[in-house]
Amino acid sequence: SVSSNVVFGPPYLGSSRVFNLTPAVNPRVVGDRVVTITASFGGESVSQNVVIREGNSRDPRIVAPTNIFEGTTGVLARVELNGIFDSNIGVSLTSSSPRVSVVPAQLVVPAGQQAATFTLTAPEDSVDEGNITVTLTAAVADAAPATFQLRAIDNDISGFQIVLPGFVQRGRGYAVSVRAVNRDGTPVSSYAGSADVILYDTRTATE
C-alpha cells in the first residue's frame, strides 16, 4: 500500500515529497513481484515499477522434544517451512546416530501447508553406553539446512543411588529412596528389579 495523496505548495515547499510504501505481509510464497506505482496530477501521470522481494523462503525448521528415552517409539516431531508454497516441498531427514532414527527419511510438506510431521524412534539395546547428544538435520532443495539437537537417554542401569535426608534424629523414622541410574546418573524409571540395601555403621565398622 502507498499514501493515497501527497501535498505540494505552501507550507510544503520544494519539488519532491516522501510517501510511505508498505508491502503486505503474505505467508504464501509466490516469488518476487513487480508492482507499478502511478502518480497523477492535472490530467498527467507518471509510473514507476518496484520489485518486491519475497521475504519468505524454503528454509526449514525442526520442532522436536529435547529428550528421548531408549526404547521409545513413535515420538512426534515436525518440519516447518518459512512460508507456504503452491507446490509440494520435499524434505530429507537424517540423524547423526543410530541411537535415534527418523521415519520417514523423506517427507513432503504438501502444497498450501507450512509443516509436515515425522516420528522419532530410540531403539532398545542392552549396552551400557550412557546419554549422548544426537543431531537431526532437515534438508530442502535451494535452502539452508536446519539442525536440531536432542539427548538420547540410556535406559540401561549402571548402578543405584540412595537419597537420604540432610540430617536425622534418634528415635525417628525417615523415608529413604533408592533409584536406578544409568552411567551418567540419570534415573532409569523403567527399571523393574530389586536392590540390596545394607546399613553400615562407620563407628563400629559393622553392617
Side-chain angles (χ1 to χ4, degrees):
S1 63
V2 295
S3 303
S4 59
N5 61 78
V6 292
V7 178
F8 285 82
Y12 307 102
L13 303 179
S15 60
S16 64
R17 294 290 180 267
V18 176
F19 62 92
N20 293 324
L21 171 64
T22 306
V25 177
N26 179 13
R28 184 175 293 277
V29 177
V30 294
D32 294 345
R33 289 165 290 170
V34 178
V35 176
T36 301
I37 299 175
T38 301
S40 301
F41 176 75
E44 300 291 333
S45 64
V46 61
S47 298
Q48 177 71 47
N49 290 336
V50 176
V51 178
I52 298 179
R53 299 293 185 188
E54 188 58 64
N56 301 315
S57 71
R58 295 170 179 258
D59 292 353
R61 181 170 73 99
I62 299 174
V63 180
T66 54
N67 293 320
I68 185 170
F69 290 84
E70 179 184 321
T72 304
T73 61
V75 177
L76 289 178
R78 68 180 184 273
V79 172
E80 297 179 348
L81 301 179
N82 187 32
I84 300 174
F85 290 80
D86 291 328
S87 59
N88 293 343
I89 303 298
V91 182
S92 299
L93 296 169
T94 57
S95 169
S96 64
S97 169
R99 290 275 299 273
V100 177
S101 61
V102 291
V103 179
Q106 304 285 333
L107 62 80
V108 172
V109 178
Q113 302 294 318
Q114 199 165 357
T117 60
F118 62 96
T119 59
L120 300 172
T121 296
E124 181 71 67
D125 62 32
S126 57
V127 181
D128 178 13
E129 53 203 343
N131 307 330
I132 67 167
T133 298
V134 178
T135 301
L136 307 178
T137 302
V140 175
D142 301 321
T147 59
F148 181 89
Q149 289 189 328
L150 56 82
R151 188 173 61 154
I153 299 177
D154 190 12
N155 70 351
D156 298 295
I157 70 166
S158 182
F160 297 91
Q161 287 181 347
I162 298 178
V163 182
L164 298 169
F167 65 92
V168 296
Q169 295 178 344
R170 291 180 180 273
R172 296 186 59 182
Y174 295 88
V176 177
S177 299
V178 179
R179 60 189 182 191
V181 295
N182 66 16
R183 178 187 296 182
D184 294 305
T186 304
V188 180
S189 58
S190 61
Y191 174 73
S194 60
D196 294 329
V197 178
I198 301 174
L199 299 179
Y200 184 80
D201 189 332
T202 56
R203 292 185 307 164
T204 62
T206 58
E207 297 179 358

